[in-house]
Amino acid sequence: MRIPLPLPLRDLRVVNSYAVGTAGGVTLIDPGWASRESETMLLMALDSMGYAPTDIRQILVTHAHWDHYTQAVKWRDELGVEILLGAEERHSIEGFDALAGVHPNQVPVLIRAGAQELARAVAALRWEPYERDMPFTAPDRWLSDGDLVDADGVTITARATPGHTRGHTVFEASGMAFTGDHLLPRITPSIAFERVPERLPLRSFLRSLQLFLHLPDARMLPAHGDTDHRTRQRAQELLDHHDVRLTTIADLVVAGASTAFEAARRMRWTRSERSLSELETIHQMVAVLEVSAHLELLVSTGVLRADESGEVTTFAVC
């Protein structure tokens, strides 16, 4: 059962939680943001299925972003329900320090991208009231690629899909894929919100997309958006999108955009084709960091070269 839950965010209003119910209880996937409103709706949905909170056997979480994970931690602490999460999420959980700021890792990356003014704006951001005191601790069990989870006779397979986060995991069961933020129906997920990111997250994301061209096609059950898509087609669409973006960014470097910030300024963003300056601070940050990730991948494949000798990294054609 899909359970749409409200989010307190301005730009992302709903997260899809899923309940796999059996005679022996229920397994939850991505139970949402820890808030009173979300918890109430989740309880109502479980009640409509004939379950109480004490019937929850385990909670699987695709990744540790708060709109997926914090309610799981809250219920684990209150009800003793086991949480299962991808093993590579340990880096960002262990590295989290609320006193370090909202986006402490992103500020130096923005400076190296040539976006000093934007870096200052991001550094000045403060936690919103709904972001404070979120439950954010390690799960009970770390999952690795290929691990099998028994949901009272329903076998769920964990597929490691790093990219959006290091430990992002897709869960497969009976021709369905609970894709979290890895495969979304309308957008490509950001790779900008980790505390401790890997070296080349875009490379990992593209490899994780390639995985779904070879796995059996499945119904796509994403964390945001509708459920009318198939995994193989959507994975190919996202691969095609990033192929175009890699070419676009390489061409911009050829045309003289020597930094990630300059390339981002020359591009258009969102379906409304907005300029970078028209975006809010957070979206500007995501755009510049996305360009940075593409540039780093182009360097790793020998298309571009990078000069990191100064405060700002510059790029040129090999």
Side-chain angles (χ1 to χ4, degrees):
M1 178 181 182
R2 177 168 70 112
I3 308 171
L5 297 173
L7 295 175
L9 308 174
R10 287 191 296 271
D11 302 309
L12 191 62
R13 306 301 298 174
V14 175
V15 62
N16 293 328
S17 179
Y18 295 93
V20 180
T22 68
V26 62
T27 293
L28 289 181
I29 300 173
D30 285 355
W33 192 290
S35 71
R36 181 175 299 178
E37 182 183 10
S38 178
E39 182 173 275
T40 297
M41 294 186 68
L42 191 53
L43 288 170
M44 291 174 60
L46 290 174
D47 181 69
S48 73
M49 297 173 66
Y51 296 112
T54 52
D55 296 315
I56 302 170
R57 297 293 174 254
Q58 57 199 349
I59 301 176
L60 312 184
V61 185
T62 58
H63 61 296
H65 284 166
W66 290 357
D67 55 326
H68 301 252
Y69 188 58
T70 50
Q71 182 63 41
V73 177
K74 182 175 184 293
W75 272 1
R76 187 273 309 280
D77 294 346
E78 294 176 354
L79 305 173
V81 181
E82 184 183 37
I83 302 174
L84 292 76
L85 181 70
E88 288 298 296
E89 294 296 79
R90 70 173 69 244
H91 302 284
S92 287
I93 291 177
E94 292 172 357
F96 179 76
D97 178 4
L99 297 179
V102 181
H103 298 294
N105 176 69
Q106 289 76 5
V107 171
V109 179
L110 290 169
I111 292 172
R112 293 204 63 82
Q116 287 85 352
E117 183 177 342
L118 177 58
R120 287 191 289 272
V122 171
L125 293 174
R126 296 294 178 261
W127 296 108
E128 297 287 349
Y130 55 77
E131 295 175 316
R132 296 171 188 160
D133 302 319
M134 282 290 103
F136 193 63
T137 53
D140 303 284
R141 176 178 163 193
W142 296 108
L143 291 172
S144 298
D145 184 53
D147 281 354
L148 302 180
V149 179
D150 179 19
D152 191 37
V154 177
T155 299
I156 299 175
T157 303
R159 301 286 186 190
T161 50
H164 179 56
T165 67
R166 292 174 75 162
H168 194 288
T169 301
V170 168
F171 299 106
E172 292 184 317
S174 305
M176 299 178 292
F178 301 93
T179 59
D181 285 1
H182 180 60
L183 294 175
L184 296 171
R186 295 186 58 203
I187 61 175
T188 182
S190 72
I191 49 175
F193 291 109
E194 279 195 280
R195 285 289 168 134
V196 186
E198 61 173 300
R199 176 67 183 86
L200 290 171
L202 181 58
R203 180 175 65 183
S204 292
F205 179 57
L206 297 180
R207 289 175 176 174
S208 297
L209 290 175
Q210 288 281 354
L211 173 68
F212 285 91
L213 302 184
H214 304 291
L215 289 171
D217 197 21
R219 182 184 178 191
M220 194 176 111
L221 301 177
H224 308 283
D226 64 77
T227 58
D228 298 328
H229 300 263
R230 307 289 298 182
T231 55
R232 188 171 295 167
Q233 178 182 349
R234 187 56 182 153
Q236 186 62 64
E237 290 171 351
L238 290 171
L239 285 165
D240 293 343
H241 165 80
H242 283 285
D243 279 345
V244 171
R245 182 138 288 181
L246 286 164
T247 299
T248 297
I249 292 172
D251 289 344
L252 287 171
V253 173
V254 171
S258 61
T259 68
F261 180 59
E262 182 56 36
R265 287 179 59 193
R266 298 190 189 190
M267 296 171 66
R268 289 295 177 264
W269 299 95
T270 77
R271 284 182 168 79
S272 301
E273 294 288 305
R274 295 180 179 179
S275 66
L276 186 70
S277 62
E278 292 178 298
L279 303 179
E280 294 184 4
T281 297
I282 289 296
H283 297 299
Q284 288 189 43
M285 178 190 81
V286 171
V288 173
L289 296 184
E290 179 180 327
V291 172
S292 294
H294 284 76
L295 287 167
E296 290 167 357
L297 185 59
L298 288 165
V299 170
S300 75
T301 56
V303 176
L304 301 178
R305 56 184 172 84
D307 181 353
E308 299 179 307
S309 60
E311 180 185 60
V312 177
T313 301
T314 59
F315 298 88
V317 178
C318 290

Coordinates of all heavy atoms in Angstrom, one line a residue, residues 162-194:
P162 N 24.2 3.5 -5.0 CA 24.8 4.7 -4.6 C 24.7 5.8 -5.7 O 24.6 5.5 -6.9 CB 26.3 4.3 -4.4 CG 26.5 3.1 -5.2 CD 25.2 2.4 -5.2
G163 N 24.8 7.0 -5.2 CA 24.7 8.1 -6.2 C 24.0 9.3 -5.5 O 24.6 10.3 -5.1
H164 N 22.7 9.2 -5.3 CA 22.0 10.3 -4.6 C 22.5 10.4 -3.1 O 22.7 11.5 -2.6 CB 20.5 9.9 -4.5 CG 19.6 10.9 -3.8 ND1 19.6 12.2 -4.1 CD2 18.8 10.7 -2.7 CE1 18.7 12.8 -3.2 NE2 18.2 11.9 -2.4
T165 N 22.8 9.2 -2.5 CA 23.6 9.1 -1.3 C 24.5 7.9 -1.4 O 24.2 7.0 -2.3 CB 22.8 9.0 0.0 OG1 22.1 7.7 0.0 CG2 21.8 10.1 0.1
R166 N 25.5 7.8 -0.6 CA 26.5 6.7 -0.7 C 25.8 5.4 -0.4 O 26.2 4.3 -1.0 CB 27.6 6.9 0.3 CG 28.5 8.1 -0.1 CD 29.5 8.4 1.0 NE 30.6 7.4 1.0 CZ 31.8 7.6 1.6 NH1 32.0 8.8 2.2 NH2 32.7 6.7 1.5
G167 N 24.9 5.3 0.5 CA 24.2 4.1 0.9 C 22.8 3.9 0.4 O 22.1 3.0 0.9
H168 N 22.4 4.7 -0.6 CA 21.1 4.5 -1.1 C 20.8 3.1 -1.5 O 21.7 2.4 -2.2 CB 20.8 5.4 -2.3 CG 19.4 5.6 -2.7 ND1 18.7 4.6 -3.3 CD2 18.5 6.6 -2.5 CE1 17.4 4.9 -3.5 NE2 17.3 6.2 -3.0
T169 N 19.6 2.6 -1.2 CA 19.3 1.2 -1.5 C 17.9 1.1 -2.1 O 17.0 1.7 -1.6 CB 19.3 0.3 -0.2 OG1 20.6 0.4 0.4 CG2 19.0 -1.1 -0.5
V170 N 17.7 0.3 -3.2 CA 16.4 0.0 -3.7 C 16.0 -1.3 -3.2 O 16.8 -2.3 -3.1 CB 16.5 0.1 -5.3 CG1 15.2 -0.5 -5.9 CG2 16.7 1.5 -5.7
F171 N 14.7 -1.5 -2.9 CA 14.2 -2.8 -2.4 C 13.3 -3.4 -3.5 O 12.4 -2.8 -3.9 CB 13.5 -2.6 -1.1 CG 14.3 -2.0 0.0 CD1 14.2 -0.7 0.4 CD2 15.3 -2.8 0.6 CE1 15.0 -0.2 1.4 CE2 16.1 -2.3 1.6 CZ 15.9 -1.0 2.0
E172 N 13.6 -4.6 -3.8 CA 12.8 -5.4 -4.8 C 12.0 -6.5 -4.2 O 12.5 -7.2 -3.3 CB 13.7 -6.0 -5.9 CG 14.4 -4.9 -6.8 CD 15.3 -5.6 -7.8 OE1 15.9 -6.6 -7.5 OE2 15.2 -5.2 -9.0
A173 N 10.8 -6.6 -4.7 CA 9.9 -7.7 -4.2 C 8.8 -8.0 -5.1 O 8.1 -7.1 -5.5 CB 9.4 -7.4 -2.8
S174 N 8.7 -9.2 -5.6 CA 7.5 -9.6 -6.4 C 7.2 -8.7 -7.6 O 6.0 -8.3 -7.8 CB 6.3 -9.7 -5.5 OG 6.5 -10.6 -4.4
G175 N 8.2 -8.4 -8.4 CA 8.0 -7.6 -9.6 C 7.8 -6.1 -9.3 O 7.4 -5.3 -10.2
M176 N 8.1 -5.7 -8.1 CA 8.0 -4.3 -7.7 C 9.4 -3.8 -7.2 O 10.1 -4.6 -6.6 CB 7.0 -4.1 -6.6 CG 5.5 -4.4 -7.0 SD 4.4 -4.2 -5.6 CE 4.9 -5.5 -4.5
A177 N 9.7 -2.5 -7.4 CA 10.9 -2.0 -6.9 C 10.6 -0.7 -6.2 O 10.1 0.3 -6.8 CB 11.9 -1.7 -8.1
F178 N 10.9 -0.7 -4.9 CA 10.7 0.5 -4.1 C 12.0 1.3 -4.3 O 13.0 1.0 -3.7 CB 10.5 0.1 -2.6 CG 9.3 -0.8 -2.4 CD1 9.5 -2.2 -2.4 CD2 8.1 -0.2 -2.2 CE1 8.3 -3.0 -2.2 CE2 6.9 -1.1 -2.0 CZ 7.1 -2.4 -2.1
T179 N 11.9 2.3 -5.1 CA 13.1 3.0 -5.7 C 13.6 4.2 -4.9 O 14.6 4.8 -5.3 CB 12.9 3.4 -7.1 OG1 11.8 4.3 -7.2 CG2 12.6 2.1 -8.0
G180 N 12.9 4.6 -3.8 CA 13.4 5.7 -3.1 C 13.5 6.9 -3.9 O 12.7 7.3 -4.7
D181 N 14.7 7.6 -3.9 CA 15.0 8.7 -4.7 C 15.9 8.4 -5.9 O 16.3 9.3 -6.6 CB 15.7 9.8 -3.9 CG 14.7 10.6 -3.0 OD1 13.5 10.2 -3.0 OD2 15.1 11.5 -2.3
H182 N 16.2 7.1 -6.0 CA 17.1 6.7 -7.1 C 16.4 6.8 -8.5 O 17.0 7.4 -9.4 CB 17.6 5.3 -6.9 CG 18.5 4.8 -8.0 ND1 19.7 5.4 -8.3 CD2 18.4 3.7 -8.9 CE1 20.3 4.8 -9.3 NE2 19.5 3.8 -9.7
L183 N 15.2 6.3 -8.6 CA 14.4 6.4 -9.8 C 13.2 7.2 -9.4 O 12.3 6.7 -8.7 CB 14.1 5.1 -10.4 CG 15.2 4.2 -10.9 CD1 14.7 2.8 -11.3 CD2 15.9 4.9 -12.1
L184 N 13.1 8.4 -9.9 CA 11.9 9.3 -9.7 C 11.2 9.6 -11.1 O 11.9 9.6 -12.1 CB 12.3 10.6 -9.1 CG 12.9 10.5 -7.7 CD1 13.5 11.8 -7.2 CD2 11.9 10.0 -6.7
P185 N 9.9 9.7 -11.1 CA 9.2 9.8 -12.4 C 9.4 11.1 -13.1 O 9.3 11.1 -14.4 CB 7.7 9.6 -12.0 CG 7.7 10.0 -10.5 CD 9.0 9.6 -9.9
R186 N 9.8 12.2 -12.5 CA 9.8 13.5 -13.2 C 11.2 14.2 -13.1 O 11.4 15.0 -13.9 CB 8.8 14.4 -12.6 CG 7.3 14.0 -12.8 CD 6.3 15.0 -12.3 NE 6.5 16.3 -13.0 CZ 6.2 17.5 -12.5 NH1 5.6 17.6 -11.3 NH2 6.4 18.6 -13.2
I187 N 12.0 13.8 -12.1 CA 13.2 14.6 -12.0 C 14.4 13.6 -11.8 O 14.2 12.4 -11.5 CB 13.2 15.5 -10.7 CG1 12.9 14.7 -9.4 CG2 12.1 16.6 -10.9 CD1 13.0 15.6 -8.2
T188 N 15.6 14.1 -11.9 CA 16.8 13.3 -11.6 C 17.2 13.8 -10.2 O 17.2 15.0 -9.9 CB 17.9 13.5 -12.6 OG1 19.0 12.7 -12.2 CG2 18.3 14.9 -12.7
P189 N 17.5 12.8 -9.3 CA 17.8 13.2 -7.9 C 19.1 14.0 -7.8 O 20.0 13.9 -8.6 CB 17.9 11.9 -7.2 CG 18.3 10.9 -8.2 CD 17.6 11.4 -9.5
S190 N 19.2 14.9 -6.8 CA 20.4 15.7 -6.6 C 21.4 14.8 -5.9 O 21.1 13.7 -5.4 CB 20.1 16.8 -5.6 OG 19.8 16.4 -4.3
I191 N 22.7 15.3 -6.0 CA 23.7 14.6 -5.3 C 24.5 15.6 -4.4 O 25.7 15.7 -4.3 CB 24.7 13.9 -6.2 CG1 25.2 14.8 -7.4 CG2 24.1 12.7 -6.8 CD1 26.2 14.3 -8.3
A192 N 23.6 16.5 -3.8 CA 24.2 17.7 -3.1 C 24.0 17.7 -1.6 O 24.5 18.6 -1.0 CB 23.6 19.0 -3.7
F193 N 23.3 16.8 -1.0 CA 22.9 16.9 0.3 C 23.5 15.9 1.3 O 22.9 15.6 2.3 CB 21.4 16.8 0.4 CG 20.7 18.0 -0.2 CD1 20.0 17.9 -1.4 CD2 20.7 19.3 0.4 CE1 19.4 18.9 -2.0 CE2 20.1 20.3 -0.2 CZ 19.4 20.2 -1.4
E194 N 24.7 15.4 1.0 CA 25.3 14.5 1.9 C 26.3 15.2 2.8 O 27.0 16.2 2.4 CB 26.1 13.4 1.2 CG 25.2 12.2 0.7 CD 26.0 11.0 0.3 OE1 26.5 11.0 -0.8 OE2 26.0 10.1 1.1

